[in-house]
Amino acid sequence: MEFFQIYRPITANPFQSDDSYREYEPCEALKPYIRCFWGSWRPYWEEQGDYGVSTVIPDTCMDIIFDVNFTDNYINSSFCGINDSSFHSHRKVEKSCVVSTFAIRFYPWSAVFFSEESMRGVKNRFFDVDSHFSSIRKEIAPLLFDITSINERIPLVEAVLMRYLKLERKNRIVTEAVGEILRHRGNLRMDKLAGELHVSNRQIERVFKENTGVSPKTLSSLIRYQYVWQEALFQRNFQMQDAVSKFGYTDQSHLIREFKKFHSLPISKALENARKDVGFLQ
């Protein structure tokens, strides 16, 4: 079974769909590597003003983001590595303009298959796209001025990504380790993981940082948090104590503390924020 079939990380507001943000499925060939494409479905007029603060949670993914300004004819492009804590994004528009966003969201194990560099040092950091994906950026960026509909952009970008997909970069240790972490839903001791793979803790740590930017322990903790977040959000009768047992927390206080550390909010407030505009969850 492919990893994407058992693990689909989500954001703090997975039901969001407006002019600036919608998610789109990749083609079948890219589903093991691309969590989604996201952005504005068409260019839109953005008024000058302060659009407030939004919370970005650790979704275990990495993103290439293109912000296109049609009024001033330029593109800002960035690459974001895995975050192991939430942060607040403050959007303030200094000048009214016509804009659109197009982004590629990679699974934690797959960004390296498209990159020109390793993932070492990308945790909690933003880079210019050229630092890791210069060839991809050079092919995609010019398309974004000529093709403005996201539905028309996606197949063109998919063709570019398929040309740069380097499956020879797959690392056996990382692949087998991620499989074990997902099978245990993040509840796995690292010494046990290293023993099952017949490698040293030092070796698994090194290859993980080269391929994902984070340690196996960090990725495991984030994946467990993601499973809890989805359980809380999608289960109508979510019970904290059941989750403690299911996901291997010491007790309820441990779960609450870990969730707040990653999400920056208690579960009740996180659910309130995510569900506020979704009728079927009321």
Side-chain angles (χ1 to χ4, degrees):
M1 181 178 289
E2 295 277 8
F3 296 157
F4 78 92
Q5 295 173 316
I6 58 174
Y7 181 66
R8 292 177 59 78
I10 60 174
T11 65
N13 299 99
F15 309 116
Q16 178 184 355
S17 181
D18 54 33
D19 281 349
S20 64
Y21 186 92
R22 297 185 188 184
E23 294 184 1
Y24 300 81
E25 290 283 311
C27 65
E28 288 297 321
L30 287 172
K31 280 185 177 180
Y33 319 109
I34 306 298
R35 168 63 182 85
C36 65
F37 298 103
W38 62 269
S40 44
W41 69 279
R42 59 172 174 76
Y44 63 98
W45 178 256
E46 188 165 58
E47 295 283 352
Q48 177 182 355
D50 192 329
Y51 288 80
V53 174
S54 59
T55 300
V56 180
I57 63 171
D59 60 5
T60 70
C61 294
M62 304 189 218
D63 295 66
I64 293 175
I65 306 168
F66 297 95
D67 289 311
V68 187
N69 185 318
F70 291 94
T71 301
D72 296 324
N73 199 41
Y74 72 87
I75 296 179
N76 279 335
S77 59
S78 58
F79 167 57
C80 176
I82 291 176
N83 293 292
D84 66 356
S85 61
S86 299
F87 65 91
H88 299 296
S89 175
H90 185 197
R91 284 185 64 240
K92 189 171 184 180
V93 177
E94 302 291 346
K95 173 186 174 184
S96 297
C97 52
V98 177
V99 297
S100 76
T101 299
F102 182 86
I104 306 161
R105 179 166 293 152
F106 300 100
Y107 284 104
W109 56 81
S110 61
V112 72
F113 301 155
F114 301 88
S115 177
E116 295 152 5
E117 302 292 337
S118 83
M119 294 294 106
R120 181 173 288 277
V122 304
K123 185 181 77 170
N124 295 332
R125 295 180 64 189
F126 280 85
F127 300 83
D128 186 278
V129 171
D130 279 352
S131 65
H132 291 77
F133 305 92
S134 62
S135 297
I136 287 175
R137 197 274 307 162
K138 287 173 185 175
E139 289 202 40
I140 291 176
L143 299 173
L144 303 180
F145 281 115
D146 298 331
I147 310 297
T148 59
S149 162
I150 197 167
N151 287 316
E152 294 177 9
R153 285 172 171 175
I154 287 172
L156 299 175
V157 171
E158 287 176 332
V160 173
L161 292 173
M162 289 300 297
R163 288 199 297 275
Y164 287 97
L165 176 59
K166 308 178 188 72
L167 291 182
E168 67 274 10
R169 285 195 171 184
K170 275 192 176 183
N171 181 283
R172 178 196 66 82
I173 295 173
V174 173
T175 300
E176 293 183 8
V178 169
E180 285 298 300
I181 290 169
L182 293 178
R183 187 166 70 85
H184 289 85
R185 292 179 292 202
N187 179 27
L188 183 63
R189 287 176 48 181
M190 292 304 104
D191 56 348
K192 181 179 179 182
L193 176 62
E196 289 180 356
L197 300 182
H198 307 291
V199 296
S200 67
N201 287 330
R202 183 175 180 181
Q203 184 179 8
I204 196 172
E205 181 103 2
R206 177 181 60 79
V207 297
F208 253 76
K209 289 186 176 180
E210 289 288 331
N211 287 271
T212 70
V214 296
S215 70
K217 182 177 180 179
T218 295
L219 184 60
S220 188
S221 296
L222 293 175
I223 284 173
R224 180 163 69 164
Y225 150 73
Q226 270 285 323
Y227 275 115
V228 172
W229 173 222
Q230 293 181 48
E231 184 98 350
L233 188 59
F234 296 120
Q235 293 291 331
R236 284 185 179 273
N237 299 313
F238 173 74
Q239 297 294 322
M240 191 88 70
Q241 193 55 49
D242 291 342
V244 168
S245 175
K246 184 174 182 178
F247 298 106
Y249 290 91
T250 305
D251 52 30
Q252 193 165 308
S253 295
H254 182 205
L255 188 155
I256 291 169
R257 188 170 59 252
E258 284 284 294
F259 184 91
K260 190 173 182 180
K261 180 180 76 172
F262 291 131
H263 205 103
S264 78
L265 293 171
I267 291 179
S268 58
K269 184 61 177 177
L271 291 173
E272 179 186 335
N273 289 349
R275 291 173 172 174
K276 58 186 175 184
D277 298 317
V278 185
F280 75 86
L281 286 173
Q282 302 302 317

